[in-house]
Amino acid sequence: MGRLLALVVGAALVSSACGGCVEVDSETEAVYGMTFKILCISCKRRSETNAETFTEWTFRQKGTEEFVKILRYENEVLQLEEDERFEGRVVWNGSRGTKDLQDLSIFITNVTYNHSGDYECHVYRLLFFENYEHNTSVVKKIHIEVVDKETGSCYVAQDGLKLLASNNLPSLAAVSAEITGVSLHAWPTVFLL
């Protein structure tokens, strides 16, 4: 009876552990013609000693309804799907040399307007415990807008800095209003036991 109670309590603790959580926000504005990194970080609790992780990335182009798989990464093997929008443009930038992936990020090179839309980073983790295994899955959703070089937020900030030195108050007010939309991203949440 005591062993059964310990197993039930242990299973309850594992299910509340969020072993597959994804915590880091990605940038959401890609510049046309440039390389863009889409972040997907899967946090890991320190108490997890053995785990295996794989990921699948899906994409829904702006104005369409269906998600399509663009890649799968498992056991150091990158499997790219045949999709002309991403042909020769997707590069793995995540963890290497481990079966328990933490960073599942990708690069899209030479971004086009066809890359605007919704991306999903599907994280599948299998946790190995002494007497059982536990599967977790999490989906990180990222919306990407592709913009011209002149409209990227870093360019807006540079223009604002140039205007600070001038006395053109109407233009300064307009640019500073745009700068308030620039966001800073926090460090990932880390859980320690």
Side-chain angles (χ1 to χ4, degrees), residues 88-147:
R89 297 177 192 260
V90 177
V91 178
W92 178 255
N93 191 57
S95 300
R96 297 177 194 272
T98 179
K99 288 188 176 186
D100 189 13
L101 306 172
Q102 304 302 302
D103 185 350
L104 303 110
S105 303
I106 61 173
F107 279 123
I108 299 176
T109 62
N110 195 19
V111 170
T112 71
Y113 295 112
N114 288 334
H115 298 121
S116 286
D118 299 314
Y119 292 80
E120 292 180 337
C121 173
H122 299 257
V123 180
Y124 302 97
R125 179 171 276 140
L126 177 61
L127 306 172
F128 299 101
F129 296 94
E130 190 172 319
N131 296 317
Y132 64 97
E133 297 173 353
H134 180 74
N135 285 301
T136 63
S137 64
V138 176
V139 177
K140 167 78 174 191
K141 298 176 186 245
I142 306 140
H143 178 78
I144 303 296
E145 284 293 327
V146 177
V147 298

Side-chain angles (χ1 to χ4, degrees), residues 148-168 171-179 182:
D148 290 328
K149 293 179 183 180
E150 292 77 29
T151 62
S153 56
C154 62
Y155 297 98
V156 172
Q158 288 173 355
D159 289 343
L161 291 175
K162 289 176 190 172
L163 279 173
L164 285 175
S166 77
N167 289 326
N168 186 340
S171 296
L172 182 56
V175 172
S176 65
E178 290 180 74
I179 292 173
V182 176

Side-chain angles (χ1 to χ4, degrees), residues 24-41:
V24 177
D25 288 334
S26 180
E27 294 292 328
T28 59
E29 192 174 271
V31 177
Y32 182 86
M34 302 296 286
T35 296
F36 184 73
K37 181 177 183 176
I38 306 177
L39 284 176
C40 183
I41 306 294

Side-chain angles (χ1 to χ4, degrees), residues 36 38 55-61 66-73 78-92 104-109 114-115 117-122 142 144:
F36 184 73
I38 306 177
T55 185
E56 292 181 341
W57 279 84
T58 58
F59 171 68
R60 178 177 61 200
Q61 188 171 359
E66 187 176 316
F67 277 91
V68 294
K69 185 166 68 167
I70 57 175
L71 74 83
R72 176 183 178 104
Y73 189 86
L78 177 63
Q79 175 188 346
L80 297 171
E81 299 298 317
E82 290 186 29
D83 186 316
E84 63 186 34
R85 295 169 295 192
F86 294 97
E87 192 173 322
R89 297 177 192 260
V90 177
V91 178
W92 178 255
L104 303 110
S105 303
I106 61 173
F107 279 123
I108 299 176
T109 62
N114 288 334
H115 298 121
D118 299 314
Y119 292 80
E120 292 180 337
C121 173
H122 299 257
I142 306 140
I144 303 296

